[in-house]
Amino acid sequence: MWLFVYFDLPTETRKERKVASEFRKMLIKDGFTMFQFSIYLRFCPSMENTEVHARRVRKHLPEHGKVCLMKFTDRQFGMMELFYGQKPQGNDKPPQQLEIF
């Protein structure tokens, strides 16, 4: 599963910029990667793990602004078309899952 966090936070004042910056830092600390400036994503090996990280995001929601959480399967993520300018860009592959016996 892939967990995407989309957000649009106010940045008019110094305090609002600080809140937005702290939110981004929290996402990075929790293992999210910046996809675009206001879109972060994280691979989770299971739906249960996805919900753990979604709860962490909900716990740190800023007072103002919009935040959206979306969950995608590997198959849905793989169907995404990415471009830099007019050049197609390949999708990230999910990390290998380790098995310990």
Side-chain angles (χ1 to χ4, degrees), residues 27-44:
L27 291 173
I28 292 168
K29 184 177 179 183
D30 195 36
F32 285 84
T33 303
M34 185 169 67
F35 186 69
Q36 291 183 2
F37 189 67
S38 294
I39 303 173
Y40 283 69
L41 59 88
R42 185 183 201 292
F43 177 77
C44 299

Side-chain angles (χ1 to χ4, degrees), residues 1 5 7 23 30-31 35-36 38 40 46-47 90 95:
M1 294 291 302
V5 179
F7 56 92
F23 186 69
D30 195 36
F35 186 69
Q36 291 183 2
S38 294
Y40 283 69
S46 67
M47 186 62 154

Side-chain angles (χ1 to χ4, degrees), residues 18-99:
K18 182 176 181 189
V19 168
S21 178
E22 288 173 354
F23 186 69
R24 281 189 210 92
K25 288 177 185 177
M26 181 278 302
L27 291 173
I28 292 168
K29 184 177 179 183
D30 195 36
F32 285 84
T33 303
M34 185 169 67
F35 186 69
Q36 291 183 2
F37 189 67
S38 294
I39 303 173
Y40 283 69
L41 59 88
R42 185 183 201 292
F43 177 77
C44 299
S46 67
M47 186 62 154
E48 293 80 15
N49 188 256
T50 304
E51 189 53 40
V52 167
H53 293 285
R55 264 187 259 126
R56 286 185 190 155
V57 172
R58 286 186 208 109
K59 184 179 175 182
H60 293 92
L61 290 175
E63 185 177 349
H64 302 286
K66 296 178 184 177
V67 178
C68 173
L69 301 176
M70 294 184 75
K71 299 169 188 164
F72 294 95
T73 64
D74 283 339
R75 182 180 169 132
Q76 291 167 323
F77 183 82
M79 290 189 292
M80 211 173 9
E81 292 185 58
L82 301 173
F83 298 90
Y84 287 119
Q86 293 184 354
K87 296 180 182 180
Q89 184 71 23
N91 292 348
D92 289 341
K93 300 292 182 206
Q96 291 292 328
Q97 192 172 15
L98 296 176
E99 293 183 20

